[in-house]
Amino acid sequence: MTAPPHATAAAHDSGVRARRSFIFTPGLNPEMFPKALACGADMVCVELEDGIAPKDKLDARRKGLALFAEPPGGGIECIMRINCLSTAFGLDDVQAVLAAEAPPPALMLAKVKSPDEIAWLDDLLSERGHACRLHIIIETNQALEAAHDIAHASARIDALFFGGIDMAAELRCKSEWRPLLYARSRVVHAAASAGIDAIDVPYLDLQDADGMVREAELARDLGFCGKGAIHPEQIPLINRVFTPDAAAIDRARKILKAFDQAGTGLVVVDGKLIEEPVLREMRRIVSVAERVAARR
């Protein structure tokens, strides 16, 4: 499947925002939503999928959708994770979103297998007139194989999330950094090709803060822009790893200024030759830093 002409990297250049951290909150327990919004995460995702038992799906869907009746505000990106689109629960979720007068600002799609699923949902949302953005979890082997095409399947897509737990089960490997490095790299490459964000899987050992920080740093250096959390205690550490430091911000601004003044495709900054393709990353660093500062 080839990328539709409207789903290009350029379409996303103006949509840079801080996505350093995210946390789930169960749709079944709406009283937990305000606490999640206040925990410091850049993204809060209302959960309808794995965290909800089959007997509670209907109740969670009803209560979860009700949370979006009024925009939460505060500059936090709010998402709702719906069930796999190839399941009855997922189809029920889609029908409920389409029927809603105030749908979630964004939907997270679980266990995606092909770009066709995303294109189908995009068409339905467009027909209804809903502006929902999309976040796609790459957690199946089929999705990993089609990651590039999935990333380009809709101009609504803002990020690819790496679902390491399910991916490890599918690949029959340990859920550790080294065995999953190839899979993580495929997700980063696919996201970069579409000019969208890549966000890493949560670290499941709440008692190992040092291990989580090390994995977050590895993910950052590989090209991820953020990482999930399973508990609010992890959020400050994750945010710190994925927030550009003062030196990085100063360098980015210096490079942008140099290109602006030079009007050429390459410049020399601090004795190093810098070419034009780095500009988007420099703009991203400055934009994320400004958005983080504005929320403080």
Side-chain angles (χ1 to χ4, degrees):
M1 177 178 176
T2 57
H6 61 281
T8 62
H12 301 274
D13 280 348
S14 61
V16 175
R17 52 186 305 168
R19 295 190 173 105
R20 302 165 298 167
S21 55
F22 80 92
I23 195 165
F24 287 107
T25 185
L28 194 61
N29 304 107
E31 70 277 4
M32 296 180 66
F33 188 52
K35 298 176 182 178
L37 292 175
C39 77
D42 290 331
M43 296 175 286
V44 171
C45 187
V46 176
E47 168 70 315
L48 302 186
E49 199 227 0
D50 280 350
I52 305 296
K55 66 180 180 62
D56 295 322
K57 295 283 190 186
L58 178 60
D59 198 22
R61 183 185 306 120
R62 178 178 58 81
K63 291 178 177 177
L65 281 171
L67 293 172
F68 300 99
E70 295 183 8
I76 299 165
E77 191 169 8
C78 295
I79 309 166
M80 188 169 75
R81 178 161 77 166
I82 63 175
N83 290 274
C84 173
L85 297 180
S86 61
T87 68
F89 289 128
L91 294 178
D92 288 343
D93 290 341
V94 170
Q95 287 183 320
V97 169
L98 294 174
E101 292 302 320
L107 300 174
M108 182 181 289
L109 306 187
K111 297 177 176 62
V112 170
K113 295 181 180 178
S114 80
D116 296 334
E117 299 171 54
I118 300 162
W120 170 78
L121 180 59
D122 188 331
D123 287 344
L124 290 175
L125 292 169
S126 296
E127 181 182 48
R128 177 63 171 85
H130 283 347
C132 308
R133 306 301 297 171
L134 298 177
H135 298 268
I136 314 300
I137 310 178
I138 304 297
E139 57 185 338
T140 68
N141 200 31
Q142 294 98 316
L144 188 64
E145 187 66 22
H148 178 275
D149 289 343
I150 285 173
H152 291 80
S154 168
R156 295 175 182 267
I157 300 175
D158 285 331
L160 297 184
F161 286 65
F162 178 58
I165 307 304
D166 287 73
M167 184 64 70
E170 288 230 343
L171 298 178
R172 303 189 299 276
C173 71
K174 290 184 177 181
S175 182
E176 297 175 357
W177 180 264
R178 185 172 294 178
L180 290 173
L181 178 57
Y182 170 76
R184 274 188 168 95
S185 298
R186 286 285 297 266
V187 173
V188 169
H189 291 186
S193 74
I196 59 179
D197 287 332
I199 298 164
D200 195 36
V201 64
Y203 191 80
L204 300 184
D205 188 349
L206 188 58
Q207 305 304 315
D208 184 13
D210 291 341
M212 186 202 67
V213 169
R214 283 195 298 272
E215 186 171 280
E217 290 172 343
L218 289 169
R220 176 200 62 198
D221 295 346
L222 190 64
F224 286 94
C225 71
K227 189 172 181 62
I230 61 170
H231 192 278
E233 289 181 2
Q234 296 176 321
I235 297 295
L237 297 174
I238 294 172
N239 283 348
R240 190 179 309 146
V241 170
F242 289 98
T243 300
D245 61 23
I249 297 167
D250 289 344
R251 179 174 179 271
R253 287 182 170 145
K254 183 183 292 187
I255 290 172
L256 290 171
K257 182 178 180 180
F259 271 100
D260 185 54
Q261 293 175 341
T264 64
L266 54 86
V267 297
V268 176
V269 177
D270 296 333
K272 295 182 179 180
L273 186 67
I274 308 292
E275 297 185 278
E276 194 169 9
V278 306
L279 287 182
R280 185 174 188 278
E281 176 61 12
M282 298 302 102
R283 294 190 188 102
R284 190 194 72 81
I285 289 172
V286 172
S287 180
V288 168
E290 289 174 348
R291 286 176 180 268
V292 170
R295 284 181 53 189
R296 288 174 179 160

